[in-house]
Amino acid sequence: MENTRKKPTTPETNQTVYSILFIIGICHLLNDSLQAVIPAMFPILEESLGLTFTQLGLIAFTLNMVSSVMQPLVGMYTDKRPMPYALPLGLTSSMIGMLGLAIAPNFWTIIISVLFIGLGSAIFHPEGSRVAYLAAGTRRGLAQSIYQVGGNSGQALAPVITALVLVPLGQFGAIWFTLIAGLAVFFLIHISKWYAAQMKIFSNNKTNSTIKKPDKNMSKAIKGALIVLIFIVFARSWYTAAISNFYAFYAIESYGLTIAKSQIYIFTFLLMGAVGTFFGGPLADRFGKRNIILLSLLATAPFAIILPYTGPVSSIILLALTGFLLMSSFSVTVVYAQELIPGKIGTMSGLIVGLAFGMGAIGSVALGSLIDLLGLTTTMIVISLLPLLGFLTYLLPTDEKVREWYA
């Protein structure tokens, strides 16, 4: 007798609910802009509280590790027990953290505040991804792109936040971001009502379809594919961490730029990364997820390799191209993982996105040590080889093969 298990279904499977997708995308922008405030505040905190670079590194590590480690755990729990109203509760936690950050008198108060923000982010990301999945209809790549581009846009705001808010207002300027968190809570209450209604319809649906339970060979293939995805996330996250955290120093050293002008390079990379995130999903819906993941890294590789040898103007163009191409696979990787293991929407989102945060945190520390050891230029040359790991994508099963497994 064929071994089967229930396949989770979602109401209105074929209908893409754009209003929900745009709202959850805006909430993702607001959530990730809160996270962007923390590294943007580093020069302010160094001056106002006299923090050392080690302490600043611990703050960044705390934020990224809490949000990354907790994400798959939250996803695993909510896959079994969906919690629609966890979304506004998560952003309330972030709002408390932002308030603490604005008035923190010492290092340990900042660490506690960052824990609240990291926890809020860990709750938001897997549940936000589930909302995008529920609202996607047949356009899962596009839905994840709309959702993820909000987050990438929020991260790209860090240089703007530094220049327009934190420099003139100082540490207490972070108080304004409690209003941003409050706005996100307001939107997420609406989202949660829709989410709860979808879950109610789902629980009343008595005609769930079935899919084959993975056999031994299929389970082995799935595990192998997940390992390949982890290496791909590693390559993308470490390269992104290198550019986001250290390229400004490279531009200052190599091109003789000011701190303010060096931020243009980072902003260009992050902004075009957000654009790439948006376009990657629709392209994956049309040309296949595996193909876009492959193209994303391998097309980035030649531009990344050339980048350390170019001048100040051409490097901006190359950063725009690498940002666009590299991040075009971000949302696609999430959807690929979700389809690789159906029914584990939160777990897979938490794993892939949380892994990206965690890899970025570890990468920042490791790359900083590498710069101290080898110097900026040599490190930039070494990390330019990371996108070549995109060749591992050939080891992933095709989209058609994944669909055959569960047909």
Side-chain angles (χ1 to χ4, degrees):
M1 188 174 75
E2 186 183 46
N3 192 10
T4 61
R5 63 182 174 88
K6 291 290 183 181
K7 177 183 179 180
T9 61
T10 57
E12 302 177 357
T13 304
N14 296 320
Q15 182 178 352
T16 304
V17 189
Y18 287 101
S19 59
I20 294 297
L21 289 175
F22 287 126
I23 294 173
I24 197 67
I26 290 170
C27 290
H28 199 180
L29 185 152
L30 297 176
N31 177 82
D32 282 28
S33 67
L34 298 180
Q35 287 188 266
V37 170
I38 296 171
M41 283 187 71
F42 281 177
I44 310 297
L45 295 174
E46 181 191 14
E47 182 178 331
S48 63
L49 299 179
L51 301 185
T52 65
F53 284 105
T54 299
Q55 288 175 317
L56 294 176
L58 286 172
I59 292 169
F61 184 80
T62 300
L63 172 69
N64 288 319
M65 289 307 294
V66 170
S67 61
S68 65
V69 171
M70 290 296 294
Q71 277 193 50
L73 297 178
V74 171
M76 289 172 65
Y77 182 84
T78 55
D79 278 336
K80 296 178 181 178
R81 302 176 183 85
M83 299 175 62
Y85 289 93
L87 284 165
L89 288 175
L91 263 292
T92 299
S93 174
S94 295
M95 183 165 58
I96 293 169
M98 290 309 303
L99 177 62
L101 200 61
I103 60 177
N106 53 50
F107 169 72
W108 290 110
T109 309
I110 290 174
I111 288 290
I112 294 170
S113 301
V114 166
L115 282 171
F116 274 98
I117 296 170
L119 179 61
S121 179
I123 294 171
F124 173 82
H125 280 99
E127 285 299 89
S129 185
R130 190 191 310 279
V131 169
Y133 186 92
L134 288 170
T138 58
R139 307 199 67 184
R140 293 178 183 172
L142 173 63
Q144 277 296 325
S145 285
I146 293 173
Y147 169 64
Q148 297 293 353
V149 76
N152 287 23
S153 300
Q155 294 167 22
L157 289 174
V160 179
I161 290 169
T162 302
L164 300 183
V165 180
L166 298 178
V167 170
L169 298 179
Q171 180 183 344
F172 191 71
I175 196 75
W176 289 100
F177 293 93
T178 60
L179 298 178
I180 290 178
L183 181 63
V185 170
F186 174 78
F187 284 141
L188 287 172
I189 289 172
H190 170 72
I191 289 285
S192 295
K193 291 177 181 177
W194 179 86
Y195 180 1
Q198 297 297 97
M199 289 296 98
K200 186 176 180 180
I201 295 170
F202 170 70
S203 65
N204 292 333
N205 188 344
K206 303 299 184 180
T207 59
N208 290 346
S209 59
T210 60
I211 59 174
K212 290 185 292 185
K213 183 178 180 180
D215 57 27
K216 185 176 181 180
N217 291 333
M218 186 171 156
S219 296
K220 185 177 179 181
I222 290 171
K223 290 176 184 177
L226 285 175
I227 291 172
V228 172
L229 284 179
I230 288 171
F231 275 102
I232 290 169
V233 171
F234 157 75
R236 189 175 59 218
S237 298
W238 273 48
Y239 188 81
T240 301
I243 300 298
S244 301
N245 294 326
F246 302 112
Y247 194 83
F249 296 100
Y250 176 80
I252 291 168
E253 180 181 292
S254 300
Y255 309 138
L257 301 178
T258 63
I259 294 175
K261 288 184 178 179
S262 70
Q263 295 299 307
I264 296 172
Y265 291 78
I266 310 305
F267 180 70
T268 299
F269 177 78
L270 294 175
L271 178 65
M272 291 306 294
V275 176
T277 299
F278 177 76
F279 281 100
L283 289 172
D285 286 335
R286 182 170 182 179
F287 299 108
K289 298 167 191 66
R290 179 178 176 270
N291 292 336
I292 295 302
I293 293 171
L294 177 66
L295 178 67
S296 170
L297 274 80
L298 293 189
T300 298
F303 299 122
I305 291 170
I306 295 169
L307 182 63
Y309 305 101
T310 57
V313 176
S314 54
S315 62
I316 291 182
I317 298 171
L318 288 174
L319 284 169
L321 290 170
T322 55
F324 179 90
L325 291 168
L326 190 66
M327 297 308 293
S328 64
S329 64
F330 188 85
S331 61
V332 180
T333 311
V334 175
V335 178
Y336 184 92
Q338 289 173 341
E339 294 187 355
L340 196 63
I341 307 182
K344 300 293 183 181
I345 306 304
T347 304
M348 290 299 101
S349 172
L351 176 65
I352 298 300
V353 180
L355 190 64
F357 277 116
M359 288 285 191
I362 296 169
S364 297
V365 176
L367 290 166
S369 300
L370 195 63
I371 289 170
D372 287 336
L373 182 65
L374 302 178
L376 269 168
T377 301
T378 303
T379 301
M380 287 298 163
I381 292 171
V382 171
I383 62 99
S384 71
L385 302 176
L386 284 173
L388 291 173
L389 288 175
F391 280 111
L392 292 173
T393 307
Y394 283 111
L395 300 176
L396 291 175
T398 63
D399 296 41
E400 293 77 12
K401 185 66 175 178
V402 173
R403 282 194 289 268
E404 287 176 8
W405 285 347
Y406 298 105

